[in-house]
Amino acid sequence: MEKEIGLLEGLMTTRAMRRYSEESVSEEDIWTCLEAAVQAPSGGNIQPYQFLIVQDPDLRFELAEIYRKGWARYEPVIAPKEFPNDAVREGWERNNRATVHLAENLERVPVHVLVLMPSIDMTVHDDEGPMPVGPTHASVYPAVQNFMLAARSLGLGTSLTTLHRIYEDDVRDLLNIPDRYEVLALLPLGHPTGNWGVAPRHRSADKITSWNRFGEKRDREH
Ligand SMILES: Cc1cc2nc3c(=O)[nH]c(=O)nc-3n(C[C@H](O)[C@H](O)[C@H](O)COP(=O)(O)O)c2cc1C
């Protein structure tokens, strides 16, 4: 039984989990995460997303194959050729081992959650022209994050992944998804084998925050 944690502790320790046991996830827990997801903000409260929960092992295998095909193209291009120091190199290598592990074992994660977004333009126009209040994606990712945080509260791991998008048509074909939807994200959902913890961030809040006018920085006092 997962110990109860507060909201802030939960979100501070929610990170990409890429190693899972094969233990199943209850349908009740999946519903809890979905209900948390739909409570997220969206422009005009229109909720421009749908979820597709994939449990079928054959379909998970096919999804994993599509993901791996994307990974095989992407990985050689993004791998850094050099690192500023050993600590950065070791950090990258650790992360990369987990990423490779997920790619090689994705079908074993008991649930794949696909987040679908209709290809609509939410830009509103008037006589002066378009009013760019935010792309459609901006109304979907809060729901994705809520899903991941709810999973964390239940002791379940997730990782936001998008490599399947390199061959998104194959995903649509496999799962009968109409062309009008983008398959925005694939979240593996399962019981993680690693530990929860606060993930390293190179850009701390103080470095990327201005107060009153851009560029005016403050040190945190306590
Ligand atoms: C838009 C987006 C796409 C991502 N795609 C992938 C992916 O395809 N595969 C993967 O293993 N992780 C993917 N990630 C996860 C990031 O690598 C991860 O969030 C980041 O390294 C921070 O991880 P941490 O919180 O454990 O430190 C993606 C994250 C985002 C926001």
Side-chain angles (χ1 to χ4, degrees):
M1 181 70 190
E2 188 71 10
K3 96 174 158 60
E4 286 268 327
I5 52 166
L7 183 59
L8 191 60
E9 183 187 349
L11 73 86
M12 288 300 289
T13 58
T14 299
R15 57 178 309 181
M17 289 308 214
R18 298 194 177 93
R19 296 176 205 269
Y20 301 86
S21 75
E22 293 186 37
E23 184 184 343
S24 63
V25 173
S26 75
E27 210 164 296
E28 193 188 333
D29 281 355
I30 299 173
W31 284 119
T32 299
C33 296
L34 290 167
E35 281 160 4
V38 303
Q39 288 309 120
S42 66
N45 204 15
I46 72 162
Q47 301 178 256
Y49 47 76
Q50 294 210 21
F51 299 97
L52 178 53
I53 309 296
V54 181
Q55 294 172 301
D56 180 288
D58 296 336
L59 293 175
R60 281 190 278 137
F61 178 77
E62 293 302 329
L63 274 175
E65 289 284 272
I66 296 167
Y67 183 94
R68 282 190 277 270
K69 198 162 61 148
W71 170 246
R73 253 181 79 191
Y74 187 78
E75 202 263 335
V77 178
I78 52 117
K81 306 269 176 295
E82 52 196 52
F83 296 92
N85 56 53
D86 283 353
V88 174
R89 181 176 49 74
E90 281 159 21
W92 186 86
E93 285 173 356
R94 199 169 37 248
N95 198 53
N96 194 50
R97 278 194 295 277
T99 304
V100 171
H101 179 89
L102 177 65
E104 288 176 347
N105 293 279
L106 185 56
E107 64 269 40
R108 296 192 172 86
V109 189
V111 184
H112 294 181
V113 179
L114 298 182
V115 183
L116 312 182
M117 181 185 78
S119 312
I120 54 170
D121 184 355
M122 287 175 65
T123 314
V124 174
H125 298 74
D126 70 0
D127 294 346
E128 285 182 51
M131 292 179 264
V133 290
T136 311
H137 294 72
S139 288
V140 184
Y141 275 117
V144 175
Q145 183 69 9
N146 264 21
F147 188 103
M148 296 169 74
L149 293 174
R152 167 72 186 96
S153 83
L154 299 168
L156 296 169
T158 55
S159 177
L160 201 168
T161 81
T162 54
L163 283 166
H164 64 283
R165 287 175 59 97
I166 298 171
Y167 295 102
E168 194 179 39
D169 284 341
D170 293 0
V171 179
R172 273 193 286 262
D173 287 349
L174 177 70
L175 303 171
N176 299 341
I177 300 169
D179 284 349
R180 66 179 182 281
Y181 290 102
E182 282 184 42
V183 189
L184 207 64
L186 187 169
L187 312 178
L189 174 69
H191 296 268
T193 57
N195 295 323
W196 302 107
V198 179
R201 291 291 180 261
H202 304 299
R203 287 142 67 82
S204 57
D206 57 342
K207 288 205 185 98
I208 56 170
T209 305
S210 303
W211 298 76
N212 295 319
R213 288 196 174 74
F214 188 81
E216 292 181 14
K217 301 289 187 187
R218 271 189 202 168
D219 289 331
R220 191 171 175 173
E221 278 162 15
H222 47 268

